Amino acid sequence: MDIWEAVAVLAAGIGAGTINTIVGSGTLITFPVLLATGLPPITANVSNNLGLVPGSVSGAIGYRRELAGQGRRTVRLGAAALVGGLTGALLLISLPSRAFDAIVPVLIALALALVVLQPRLGRAIQRRRERTGSDAHRDGGPLLLLGILLSSVYGGYFGAAQGVIYLSLMGLLLSEDLQRINAVKNALAVVVNGVAALVFLFVAEFDWLAVLLIAVGSALGGQLGAKVGRRLPPAVLRGVIVAVGTAAIALLLLR
């Protein structure tokens, strides 16, 4: 890796850390850059995952104010994310990438549809609860737990637009402000990226320089993303999610 490639990887890390904290899909910035430096796909994917862990931690710290009062929920969903992330990491080292290539754009498209329709669906669900006299489950219930588990399997395997899927699921099944949901999303990303990184450290090949550059860049980007993200109104944040998710689908289909 020459000096200009190193600068490009560092810049990609900053961009990925920023966008991951606000929405997700930062992998779609760093992964192509790592491939362009000559790293094999699996090595690039593993190096990217390791490097983005500090960015996930940085973003979660930046959103710590919005996490207040959500400790029980975060632990409950985090347990599902832990199991899913570990499963996804093990699948990465045992299955060909083609196993996920076909389904990933479909998953992201469905997640974007939920993001767009979430206000209307949320109102419909609330009216139904009022008619039946039932209350919303504080932590989203078994359906959200299962959704987080399956999303985290994908996150441990590759993770592009994982945040979009998290936001769509929690936005639909939790009665919470989008910024507070985003804070939980960042905490879950720490769990998934962290457990996958531990697996990769012992069983996969990675490039230490690439890991270091992305780690530094994503940590800086995490703080930047927290400052920008929490200032966005819900409608604007929803628009950013849709724009990033659409770009993710396009890049994955062209990859």
Side-chain angles (χ1 to χ4, degrees):
M1 190 183 298
D2 62 33
I3 183 64
W4 294 113
E5 288 175 334
V7 170
V9 172
L10 178 64
I14 295 173
T18 302
I19 199 67
N20 272 343
T21 302
I22 299 173
V23 181
S25 303
T27 289
L28 295 173
I29 299 175
T30 47
F31 186 65
V33 173
L34 291 177
L35 291 179
T37 67
L39 291 181
I42 296 297
T43 303
N45 191 15
V46 172
S47 302
N48 178 66
N49 184 287
L50 291 169
L52 289 177
V53 172
S56 299
V57 174
S58 178
I61 292 173
Y63 261 90
R64 62 189 181 278
R65 189 172 66 207
E66 286 77 9
L67 274 174
Q70 299 195 86
R72 179 179 177 276
R73 172 184 295 157
T74 303
V75 170
R76 177 181 170 85
L77 297 179
L82 178 67
V83 175
L86 177 60
T87 303
L90 295 174
L91 287 175
L92 176 64
I93 60 178
S94 59
L95 292 178
S97 62
R98 291 188 300 275
F100 272 65
D101 283 350
I103 193 63
V104 168
V106 177
L107 287 175
I108 299 172
L110 289 174
L112 291 180
L114 287 177
V115 169
V116 172
L117 296 174
Q118 187 267 324
R120 183 176 298 177
L121 291 173
R123 289 192 295 269
I125 291 172
Q126 182 60 36
R127 286 195 297 269
R128 183 177 184 277
R129 287 175 182 148
E130 290 173 356
R131 288 197 306 270
T132 60
S134 60
D135 295 323
H137 195 291
R138 185 177 184 275
D139 296 325
L143 185 58
L144 179 57
L145 205 61
L146 178 62
I148 294 297
L149 173 66
L150 296 177
S151 302
S152 300
V153 172
Y154 164 63
Y157 187 92
F158 184 54
Q162 170 189 286
V164 174
I165 299 173
Y166 280 161
L167 287 171
S168 67
L169 289 171
M170 290 189 287
L172 181 61
L173 297 172
L174 294 176
S175 298
E176 281 286 1
D177 174 79
L178 193 55
Q179 292 290 0
R180 282 172 59 79
I181 288 174
N182 200 26
V184 177
K185 179 267 291 179
N186 287 329
L188 297 181
V190 172
V191 174
V192 174
N193 290 343
V195 70
L198 286 176
V199 173
F200 297 152
L201 278 173
F202 294 102
V203 300
E205 293 185 6
F206 52 89
D207 185 292
W208 271 114
L209 179 57
V211 171
L212 178 62
L213 290 170
I214 292 177
V216 172
S218 66
L220 294 172
Q223 290 300 301
L224 177 61
K227 291 181 179 179
V228 173
R230 64 157 45 99
R231 294 177 181 175
L232 296 177
V236 175
L237 181 56
R238 205 177 304 279
V240 172
I241 294 170
V242 172
V244 171
T246 302
I249 294 173
L251 288 173
L252 287 168
L253 290 176
L254 294 173
R255 187 159 67 90

